[in-house]
Amino acid sequence: MTTSADTPETKVSRFQILRLISRDWLALAAVIFLLLVVACAVFGPWLMGDLIDKPNFRARNMAPFSLSQGWTYVLGADTLGRSLLARLVVGAQATIGIAFFAVFCSVVIGGMLGLIAGYSRGAAGTMIMRGADIVMSFPSLLLALIVLFSLGPSVTNLILVLAITRVPIYLRTTRAEVLEVRERMFVSAAVALGANHTRILFRHIAPIVLPTLVTIGAIDFATVVLAESSLSFLGLGIQAPEFTWGAMVATGRGYLSTAWWIAFWPGLAILLTTLSLNILSSWWRTYADPQQRWRIELARSKKGIPEKRK
Amino acid sequence: MTGPHLLEVKDLTVDFLSLGGAFRATSGVSFHVDAGETLVILGESGSGKSVSASAVMGLIDTPPGDICAGTVAYRGRDLSSLSEGERRDLNGRRIAMIFQDPLSHLNPVYTIGWQLEEVFTVHGVASGAEARQRAVEILGRVGIPEPEKRIDQYPHQFSGGQRQRIMIGMAIALRPEILIADEPTTALDVSVQAQILELLKKLQAEDGLAIIMITHDLEVAANMADRVIVMKSGRIVEEGEARAVFENPAHSYTRTLINALPHADDRAPPRPARPAGKPILEVKNIDKFYTLSSGIFAKPARLHAVKNLSFDVAAGETIGIVGESGSGKSTVARVLLGLNEASGGEALFHGRDVLKMDRKQLLAFRRKVQMVFQDPYSSMNPRMTVFDIVSEPWRIHKDILEKTRWRDRVTELLGLVGLNPEHAKRYPHQFSGGQRQRIAIARALACDPELVVCDEAVSALDVSVQVQVIDLLAELRDRLGLAYIFITHDLPIVRHFADRIIVMKSGEIVEHATTEEIFRNPQHAYTRQLINAAPKPKWQTAADAA
Amino acid sequence: MFAFILRRAGQSLIAVIGLLVLVFFLSRLTGDPAYLYLPLDSSEAQRQAFSEAHGFNDPLVVQFGRYLVDLARFDFGDALSRNRPAMEVALEAFPQTLKLAVIAIVLSLCLAVVVGSLAAARPNSLFDKIASTASLAGASAPDFWVAIVAILVFSVGLGLLPTSGTGTALHWIMPIFVLTLRPFGLLVQVVRGTMMGALASPYVKTARAKGVNRSRIVFRHALRNSLLPVITVAGDLAASLVNGAVVVETIFGWPGIGKLMIDAIVRRDFALIQATVLVTAIAIFVLNIAIDLVYARLDPRIRFETR
Amino acid sequence: AEGEVKIVLPEQPANLDPCRSIRSDIGRIINSNITETLTVIDTEKGTVGPWLAEKWEQVDDLTWRVHLKSGVKFQDGAAFDAEAVVKSINRLMNPGLTCDSRSKFGDVKLTPKAVDAQTVEISSDSPVPIMPTLLGTVQIVSPNMPFDKESNDPVGTGPYVVESKSNEQIVLKRHDAYWGAKPDVTRATYVWRSESAIRAAMVESGEADMTPSIAVQDATNAESDFAYLNSETTRMRIDAQIPPLDDVRIRKALNMAIDWDGMGEALFGKDVLRASQMVVPGVRGHNPDIKPWTYNPEEAMKLVEEAKAAGAPVDKEIVLIGRNGFFPNSAESLEAMRSMWQEIGLNVSIRQLEAADWVRYLDKPFPEGRGPTLFQQQHDNNTGDAGFTAPVMYLSEGQYSTIADPDLDVVLKKAMAATGDEREKLFQEVFAKVHDEIVADVPMYHMIGYVRVGSRLDWKPDLKTNSEIALSEIHFKD
Ligand SMILES: Nc1ncnc2c1ncn2[C@@H]1O[C@H](COP(=O)(O)OP(=O)(O)OP(=O)(O)O)[C@@H](O)[C@H]1O
Ligand SMILES: Nc1ncnc2c1ncn2[C@@H]1O[C@H](COP(=O)(O)OP(=O)(O)OP(=O)(O)O)[C@@H](O)[C@H]1O
Ligand SMILES: [Mg+2]
Ligand SMILES: [Mg+2]
């Protein structure tokens, strides 16, 4: 009786994860939207690249939902009369690229340093924390200017600046959790088994801290996209004719009372992307926690699972 | 008996659902209990005892749990028909529960005083200074020394047995009508255990408390039980008056249980001492202070948990450490493993001081010395499967086993401790208390160690499994020359298993001699008290009294 | 405890000094202020005279030495762009920002704890889905966008609130609303996530067996166990608000330090940059010490380096 | 309340020192309100009229004599006399102060001298033929104002004094002992918001009475929003020495490739004026006969082809240098132009720079090793004389100049020394040459500003509104 039904392999295959996601309509919608965004990022320039540049003064500030200038203008046009739809599609590439790398770098760097800072009881931890304090109190605009003047403008430097300014939040959050987790018994048990620091940090502590980092990272996507646009204006980072959604929102800002759509669509795109990332991150958070996983596995109803054994 | 039973469980069937299918934890379990009566549930580890208890308290999360059938009725009222508020009012005030795993069932961030007081405040019985006063009283009743001082400490500052007593205190605080006690004395030494059992009996006599006691300890069972049910594989296999069941077991499993009882053969000679080999571990003058500060504002006080402790362990030898709950046994174990810093002294392993080893030496040391923690649940990473947990030593010490053989070896180890291969895919929270303890043992053995420190390693196992595990350990000792430091409160086990015994009290060794000598000729008063405190069957005491 | 604070204060002092040194030298890498202070059509000679007059021509080390000497006398230099002592300007603006930041963070923290906990108590319920989505939408909407739309709707359209400025209680509503959105959204997510874990713990079972009601389980038992990351993130958000709620200050004409700092940086008003950084840095360092103390209070198992 | 106005400015004044009042943030508050000048410039006609000075004459090449009005007192009671004027001018020239207004005089040093109580002689170390015009920028301040320190407490002869100032607002109140006519406005409150939409909203909701420089897209209400030529002119300066820009065909093509009308209306409003030269109509030296280049992409393309055939490296990347937040829609205009230049076969990219970075390209020496650049520039000449524009831009050694044309230099030098009609003619000749022959730049537009004026006020902006808002000209309706 103590055998359970023919359970599948411990490591659920990719296919199965997809099947699980497809049970949750919200998560499914998020995945589909993100795939769409990624598709835009990959194929966008090739699909609509020639529509984004040339001013079309006749269509300037054209309101959305009109087909008088062709279907590409359904979302309206910006001040120079360029199709907003085309710009959204093409802008996905730079936006996603920059935001992804910036968030990724800050999560990785912040997470690593936070693990060390929380785990080490010596001077290293203290130094990392005071370093984080310094970064936190260093004005990000000044940092951007310094990078601009000393390293010059480039996308790499832009990502660098964005990542550095976001590092403290990951670092401090990681450390806070590590401070508590390292006192748990299973850490002692792992020490007793002879596990070295790396193993304890990455196999035992990190998996417990990671979900929180991912949660913050998912929201940070929006922050980073918007911060990026303000730095582009300094001359750091991507320059027109390249653009991102953030830059589109920023330029549309002056038109909120007269042509709301210029800032609205890219803002909506940022919002939906952030939202999707968050839905997925919270889905994953549940999935990654064995004590919560049933919420996903049994998501539909009891009918959805294999019939009970007598 | 007229009218409905005080508590009646009928046909309880509980499943645990998962993607892979449903697992039936109990099936068709029925029992009842009346005021002033003690029902003891015996049974195999993993047979659904705790699940049944949780179901009575309404603590099974559905899903993933699924109560497929059955009712629980309190004074004839179906509990499932109650509103949440009514249910809450019953819990704690009318029906209370002592959890099997007291160590993780206390909230780590609140003082135990706060947690005790809460029982009074949420039921509006007392509050403020009065609640505190009563909390202190309770602590005193369950035998925590210096309750006023310790009430403001946090759970992690208490020993296993002390935490268990705090749980007990919490359960009896409001003098409930029904007490469900799930292995309430696993972490208690015999004398404290006797004290607690006395306390329960007193409550029973005074208030007509009904007790449902889950235990694997047959002596305790016999001592407490009016009626007994025996469970196996989710079903009740035997049921009856205590004396009848003990003296005349009907079901084969019950018979195995009672026969396996080492206690049954009281006159069997203790394990004879054997010529000790070269000591592999020499402990010299170990001292340990804990810094107590119940908050950052208080001035730190110190607690002298281990005082000037010395002993040694030879290859193939088993040292039993018995002693009062809170006497520093677990602390010694943690210090020897290098998990806590010692405040003084040295521990030489093959001539090298464990407390001063560098990283490489420590790694080699930890390859050879393993520990089974008193609290197996929290000693396992909740995000790892059992396979990962058991195979972790091999990931750390790459030389032990090549990767291709891990799966087989895990299956084998699980089999040795009486678990089955399917369990490798599950996570720790999906196991019963005894099963977790066995996983911890399997992990310790995975390393092929020289010395294993077992901190109450078999306390949650039913006698049949306990025998199986002890035999396994003994076989390894004899075949491979393993040495054990065996911390336990269970005297019959050490009597049967240990070569030498150390008796501890208040952080000190009060007696240290071969097993034979200790049992034949105990020197210290405390030792004598321990040996004589073994509980006697209820029907005997009743007969004695008459 | 006092030893801890003292040690932390000492470390922080060193860090603040490090920060000031960094700001001093690095900010001077960012171009010649003479170009920005003087009109575009001024001559090279005029620029030279300007740099001479303000000592920008001296070697950096000499300038730094002078700065240190002045610092020792609590003289933080004059804000060139304002014609006033830099510290005076910074200290005038700082309380305005601080008030906003404190209110916004406290508000969003309280709201997020309630909403996040309730969402975690019933995961995937309708409430959870709505609360999560709405808070996230708030958090990822561009703040200036929200601010301007709010002004257009509530001030111009409905005439309920003043567009901007300070003065009456009504003036606070929109800035606080805008400032609260992002912290609220982020904190709801963090609370919800950690709370779900905490609610699955064994001690929650104990509490249920004791007959503790649901809200007490959530808000007393589980909350405290899941508060560490929440407090950390809130602290971080507070720091970023103290460091400048720039958008809000700009749009609502709030005379705070964020806008002041940006102006100082854009104008290369070094003394003012240094003064504003010093003021906000001290606030942030104090905040971080406080947060560490809160950790130790929240979770007795947490121990900091004991030396 | 009655007689009070609230004005929303786009930025907080850096400080209130009158010697920096050519900065518009300062000037808008104090010019003509707190401090006054000896002369006033009529920007429409380009003429200079008397104000605190009654009349003036040129004594010799280097000396001007100015006769002061009598009966004027400073707001602090000090007498307005020759000594005060001397001190004011010396204060402006004081190298210890960062006086922006000094830059109008270039490196010329002025030595004023009191001849008698009502007469001042101002001598200079090089000829200043337009001294009366320049004096229109010199704010006369009380001799009691600190001489060696910049001050935030301006004291002048004007009709208003500072009542209070803080981080949030500045309040001026009417000075009842003013020497001239008593203005209607009794008290004026200045606040600042950088967001144009907010400023417009504040006037619309009645929280404020007036705001200058709202963005074109916010000027949606013909009742309250007035356009005015703000005396700024924009251009793209061509790096005419660096190939392929050294080819005049390319420079012409640049001018012809842009849809000037479409872009102007889309980005700067329908009132914007197409520029053919860098001074606005009304400035002495403006040449009304120059025809701006018109949109002709085919022709432009042809010119590029020709240049290419002749060996010009047209594939070389030309960098447009812009400055972020320069003027409304400056970035958009760069994007539009880039795209249109790309269309005619040039390889163009954009660099938006931060102000401090941007100025490196403004002035000589230009950065080493730069490629061909087109530099976005906005030029403000509200002094009424082309002498402030043409030499710096087009003289071979001019500070901003990217051209070196000996013939042009000759004419320019002659124009600078001349006065009166001759001066005007010569500058007109310069502009014509620059536009038609040399094609030194791509002139864009004479820019338009918009003010929004609340319904209570009776007031219209003019060319000067960018640099001053005289409260005394504001009246109330009915
Ligand atoms: N959350 C869960 N998910 C899946 N299976 C579970 C879960 N909890 C318990 N089980 C299984 O249910 C069975 C009964 O468990 P229970 O805890 O009642 O055992 P027990 O009789 O108390 O054993 P022990 O004496 O070892 O404590 C065990 O086989 C266990 O593995
Ligand atoms: N982290 C700690 N901080 C403070 N005091 C502690 C800590 N851990 C244990 N103690 C105290 O030290 C003493 C010895 O504890 P220890 O856990 O070693 O007892 P034990 O002999 O294992 O008891 P038991 O049989 O009940 O498990 C107890 O009084 C306990 O309260
Ligand atoms: Mg159990
Ligand atoms: Mg113990």
Side-chain angles (χ1 to χ4, degrees), chain A residues 170-223:
Chain A
Y170 299 102
L171 196 164
R172 295 183 51 83
T173 313
T174 310
R175 166 182 171 261
E177 291 224 57
V178 172
L179 283 179
E180 185 255 331
V181 175
R182 76 172 180 196
E183 302 297 338
R184 293 199 198 164
M185 190 79 134
F186 64 80
V187 173
S188 294
V191 172
L193 284 178
N196 55 18
H197 296 318
T198 334
R199 184 173 177 83
I200 289 179
L201 276 177
F202 292 103
R203 283 287 298 162
H204 289 276
I205 297 183
I208 297 196
V209 180
L210 193 62
T212 309
L213 295 191
V214 172
T215 302
I216 303 175
I219 295 190
D220 249 8
F221 177 85
T223 320

Side-chain angles (χ1 to χ4, degrees), chain B residues 49-51 100 182-183 214 432-434:
Chain B
K49 306 182 291 289
S50 302
V51 168
Q100 179 172 16
D182 194 351
E183 312 272 14
I214 299 169
S432 79

Side-chain angles (χ1 to χ4, degrees), chain A residues 138-157:
Chain A
F138 203 94
S140 48
L141 181 75
L142 185 57
L143 178 74
L145 277 181
I146 291 165
V147 169
L148 174 67
F149 274 79
S150 50
L151 302 179
S154 78
V155 174
T156 327
N157 292 343

Side-chain angles (χ1 to χ4, degrees), chain B residues 163-418:
Chain B
R163 278 186 258 182
Q164 190 159 46
R165 281 178 276 163
I166 293 163
M167 280 297 295
I168 295 171
M170 226 183 268
I172 60 172
L174 289 181
R175 297 180 166 252
E177 294 171 25
I178 303 165
L179 177 69
I180 303 175
D182 194 351
E183 312 272 14
T185 60
T186 43
L188 303 181
D189 64 284
V190 202
S191 65
V192 174
Q193 173 178 300
Q195 196 182 327
I196 294 291
L197 295 182
E198 253 346 283
L199 176 65
L200 294 184
K201 281 187 186 146
K202 191 161 148 248
L203 290 176
Q204 205 156 30
E206 285 170 8
D207 307 345
L209 174 70
I211 299 177
I212 299 175
M213 184 177 227
I214 299 169
T215 182
H216 66 271
D217 187 328
L218 293 175
E219 287 180 342
V220 171
N223 178 265
M224 293 294 287
D226 293 311
R227 282 183 302 115
V228 174
I229 60 178
V230 182
M231 288 182 68
K232 186 171 186 320
S233 304
R235 290 171 195 281
I236 294 181
V237 294
E238 182 153 359
E239 183 167 11
E241 288 300 314
R243 186 168 189 169
V245 172
F246 273 92
E247 291 180 347
N248 245 326
H251 192 270
S252 65
Y253 172 70
T254 323
R255 273 201 297 279
T256 338
L257 265 193
I258 293 182
N259 291 339
L261 196 65
H263 319 184
D265 193 1
D266 247 354
R267 272 152 312 236
R271 184 178 156 86
R274 286 177 299 168
K278 213 170 139 277
I280 51 173
L281 180 72
E282 295 166 82
V283 180
K284 289 184 185 156
N285 310 95
I286 291 274
D287 264 299
K288 172 71 191 175
F289 290 96
Y290 283 113
T291 312
L292 299 176
S293 57
S294 46
I296 35 180
F297 292 98
K299 224 176 87 193
R302 296 207 306 174
L303 186 134
H304 202 167
V306 172
K307 300 173 189 157
N308 199 13
L309 201 78
S310 307
F311 63 91
D312 52 31
V313 185
E317 191 184 29
T318 302
I319 304 288
I321 301 186
V322 298
E324 198 184 19
S325 163
S327 61
K329 304 182 294 292
S330 300
T331 304
V332 174
R334 293 178 59 90
V335 167
L336 291 184
L337 270 269
L339 297 175
N340 281 9
E341 274 172 33
S343 314
E346 53 185 7
L348 305 178
F349 183 70
H350 287 303
R352 273 225 183 80
D353 191 350
V354 179
L355 309 175
K356 296 200 184 70
M357 282 184 181
D358 63 27
R359 188 179 304 176
K360 240 175 100 195
Q361 292 167 332
L362 261 184
L363 185 67
F365 167 73
R366 287 183 168 144
R367 161 98 166 70
K368 297 275 174 238
V369 180
Q370 288 297 310
M371 169 145 179
V372 181
F373 287 83
Q374 184 169 16
D375 180 8
Y377 187 23
S378 38
S379 77
M380 292 183 261
N381 190 328
R383 295 190 175 226
M384 286 175 143
T385 60
V386 167
F387 176 82
D388 288 334
I389 290 170
V390 175
S391 63
E392 189 168 21
W394 308 325
R395 289 175 216 268
I396 295 168
H397 308 282
K398 302 266 190 294
D399 57 318
I400 300 182
L401 202 67
E402 75 250 31
K403 203 160 178 168
T404 48
R405 297 191 40 220
W406 288 3
R407 194 155 291 279
D408 295 340
R409 179 75 177 137
V410 167
T411 309
E412 187 186 346
L413 280 168
L414 290 182
L416 283 176
V417 294

